[in-house]
Amino acid sequence: MLNRVRSAVAHLVSSGGAPPPRPKSPDLPNAPSPQTAAPPEAPRSPPATAGSGSAAPAKTVEARASFSRPTFLQLSPGGLRRADDHAGRAVQSPPDTGRRLPWSTGYAEVINAGKSRHNEDQACCEVVYVEGRRSVSGAPREPSQGQGLCFYYWGLFDGHAGGGAAEMAARLLHRHIREQLKDLSCWSSQKEVTHESLVVGAIENAFQFMDEQMARERRGHQVEGGCCALVVVYLLGKVYVANAGDSRAIIVRNGEIIPMSREFTPETERQRLQLLGFLKPELLGGEFTHLEFPRRIQPKELGQRMLYRDQNMTGWAYKKIELEDLRFPLVCGEGKKARVMATIGVTRGLGDHNLKVCSSTLPIKPFLSCFPEVRVYDLTQYEHCPDDVLVLGTDGLWDVTSDCEVAATVDRVLSAYEPNDPSRYKALAQALVLGARGTPRDRGWRLPNNKLGSGDDISVFVIPLGGPGSYS
């Protein structure tokens, strides 16, 4: 067993962190599409139990059921086939006819260039009504009986190792948030407990409950995968941006760029991962070390001094190499090739409960956090114009597009439309997706500077902060 682990991990490290594919369990047939599933208290959705690989399901009906797109796209069967075409990579957006998304939100997406069988991104956009509870233990408040509130919700879910987790989160996460926000209607001011902190706590709890539901239901279904989750909640004048993964959000306000999230990767969370490995060495299985070295240590270097850093260090120092330092590093690789246990490149998200180091039984989930970082933006503190927007994108956008390039596209596209034209935000979302995808050439999809465009799934929301939407 140990020899198989060593050889498998060595292969992963030498190949830049790309694990060999394993057959993917088929998704359940007739699975409901996003935003149509039952509430958390009576779930009926296919969950995600993660693994590696994206092999095609055996049955045609299962293959089609495994590919579903957000219902607000209103795709016909022909449109669904075009959305699933890796060669054409047609950009998909909601139709001009029918109900617009809240706040005239713009949305666009495109499938990957062959990275996985289907588009593993999912999206959700909803207006959610929250009924108030009759009372809360320790804080009864009879005047609030029957009262409720409403919140606006946007979510992007970037699936990996299958689309099951992303589909499930798109259907149910906002319902978990709704359930957690029920206590707000009977909230009474308490020392050092603000209304804002209660909303943040409700969102954090909802992510945890969503992840726990995926863990419970994975035993009864055969859907693999995990997902990054980027969620926006607008409630009572404030925008809450919750991120778990490597999707990102920025506000572009009067040309200024305001980051509203950060990426959670093996590099950005190195010290958290190392600390967990230090406190619970049993999670490393005797095959990994929590220490980081500039490069892999060779047996001939035993007894020599080598640069290293541990969970407490941001800089580097020297240590004498010991036998246990020859183990594989908990975090290996750099940049987009960085991996936890040579397996996964993100450190926060939902699902991945069955994810293990290749050819071993060593679980990776203990090192992955389902809790998001929540940042708050008060809309009432600024006078926003129709060109001020909140841009949400999966990593397919940000891998090839900088914040400044996004801001430049915002200015270029919106200036070509009348300020009161609600279609301007969809046009902006499409321009951002097209700019990241590039155009097909002899050597793949290329940007105008001839650099490679994004071969990943790309999904983008453009939320206007001062446009025709009603924010009351």
Side-chain angles (χ1 to χ4, degrees):
M1 171 63 76
L2 294 182
N3 287 335
R4 290 205 306 271
V5 174
R6 290 191 181 98
S7 60
V9 177
H11 167 76
L12 293 176
V13 174
S14 63
S15 61
R22 289 203 302 253
K24 173 176 176 288
S25 300
D27 291 348
L28 295 180
N30 303 319
S33 59
Q35 307 174 32
T36 60
E41 53 268 27
R44 294 291 185 272
S45 60
T49 57
S52 301
S54 55
K59 299 181 181 179
T60 303
V61 63
E62 291 170 342
R64 178 52 52 194
S66 69
F67 180 68
S68 65
R69 304 314 309 142
T71 54
F72 59 72
L73 286 177
Q74 302 178 39
L75 294 180
S76 65
L80 193 63
R81 286 192 294 271
R82 286 190 296 273
D84 202 19
D85 178 15
H86 295 88
R89 299 189 75 190
V91 175
Q92 306 296 322
S93 287
D96 292 325
T97 58
R99 180 179 68 89
R100 289 191 180 275
L101 297 181
W103 295 15
S104 296
T105 295
Y107 177 80
E109 68 172 38
V110 72
I111 196 171
N112 61 80
K115 178 180 176 181
S116 60
R117 180 178 175 85
H118 300 296
N119 189 337
E120 294 181 345
D121 283 359
Q122 288 293 343
C124 180
C125 184
E126 293 285 342
V127 181
V128 185
Y129 178 73
V130 184
E131 295 181 352
R133 299 192 196 277
R134 292 186 176 274
S135 65
V136 175
S137 177
R141 194 181 178 190
E142 291 190 4
S144 67
Q145 290 184 10
Q147 294 180 359
L149 49 86
C150 196
F151 69 88
Y152 293 81
Y153 173 90
W154 300 262
L156 289 181
F157 306 93
D158 184 356
H160 50 258
E167 291 182 23
M168 186 177 185
R171 285 193 299 271
L172 296 180
L173 182 56
H174 61 289
R175 303 188 182 208
H176 281 288
I177 294 175
R178 178 188 64 190
E179 188 68 20
Q180 293 303 304
L181 287 175
K182 285 183 178 180
D183 291 334
L184 285 182
S185 61
C186 47
W187 168 77
S188 59
S189 179
Q190 300 180 37
K191 184 179 180 181
E192 297 180 354
V193 178
T194 64
H195 185 275
E196 181 180 299
S197 68
L198 288 174
V199 177
V200 171
I203 295 172
E204 291 170 335
N205 261 352
F207 270 68
Q208 182 179 23
F209 291 147
M210 183 75 257
D211 192 60
E212 290 174 350
Q213 182 178 352
M214 290 179 176
R216 290 193 306 270
E217 296 192 16
R218 79 186 194 277
R219 301 181 183 91
H221 302 284
Q222 294 181 346
V223 180
E224 297 182 343
C227 70
C228 301
L230 176 63
V231 162
V232 172
V233 171
Y234 171 79
L235 178 63
L236 301 176
K238 294 182 179 180
V239 173
Y240 299 82
V241 179
N243 183 48
D246 59 0
S247 299
R248 287 204 298 112
I250 65 171
I251 286 175
V252 181
R253 186 186 69 200
N254 193 27
E256 178 189 3
I257 297 170
I258 305 171
M260 292 302 296
S261 68
R262 61 189 176 104
E263 296 179 348
F264 292 101
T265 67
E267 285 190 319
T268 63
E269 292 214 280
R270 172 187 63 84
Q271 287 179 282
R272 178 183 72 81
L273 300 172
Q274 288 180 315
L275 177 60
L276 183 57
F278 171 74
L279 295 176
K280 296 186 176 181
E282 66 274 11
L283 297 178
L284 302 175
E287 287 294 314
F288 294 87
T289 173
H290 74 282
L291 299 180
E292 181 184 14
F293 300 92
R295 58 174 174 77
R296 284 280 288 134
I297 307 300
Q298 302 300 317
K300 64 182 180 181
E301 296 174 308
L302 279 171
Q304 297 182 18
R305 287 167 56 81
M306 181 71 70
L307 286 172
Y308 86 106
R309 57 182 178 181
D310 63 14
Q311 68 280 357
N312 300 310
M313 303 168 63
T314 56
W316 296 84
Y318 282 93
K319 77 178 296 287
K320 184 178 178 180
I321 297 301
E322 302 172 10
L323 187 61
E324 62 182 20
D325 297 329
L326 299 180
R327 297 171 180 172
F328 293 103
L330 173 60
V331 175
C332 64
E334 297 179 354
K336 292 296 292 184
K337 292 185 177 181
R339 294 291 185 269
V340 179
M341 293 177 151
T343 303
I344 187 169
V346 289
T347 53
R348 297 201 191 191
L350 303 169
D352 290 315
H353 294 281
N354 283 355
L355 188 60
K356 293 178 173 60
V357 174
C358 186
S359 300
S360 84
T361 59
L362 196 60
I364 298 177
K365 181 65 175 178
F367 290 97
L368 309 180
S369 173
C370 66
F371 283 96
E373 178 183 68
V374 184
R375 297 188 180 183
V376 186
Y377 181 82
D378 192 342
L379 272 179
T380 66
Q381 296 299 306
Y382 303 94
E383 189 71 28
H384 293 91
C385 73
D387 290 355
D388 296 339
V389 293
L390 171 59
V391 178
L392 280 64
T394 55
D395 65 335
L397 171 70
W398 304 109
D399 283 349
V400 298
T401 313
S402 68
D403 292 358
C404 291
E405 289 170 331
V406 168
T409 303
V410 169
D411 179 66
R412 173 177 58 83
V413 174
L414 295 186
S415 63
Y417 287 79
E418 291 295 326
N420 61 350
D421 185 349
S423 66
R424 64 205 309 255
Y425 305 109
K426 182 174 82 171
L428 174 54
Q430 292 173 335
L432 290 170
V433 169
L434 285 169
R437 183 202 67 178
T439 55
R441 299 184 187 175
D442 292 339
R443 294 178 294 125
W445 294 82
R446 295 281 172 171
L447 304 179
N449 58 10
N450 205 37
K451 290 184 178 180
L452 278 174
S454 176
D456 200 356
D457 303 312
I458 311 170
S459 300
V460 172
F461 271 126
V462 175
I463 305 171
L465 301 179
S470 174
Y471 307 155
S472 60

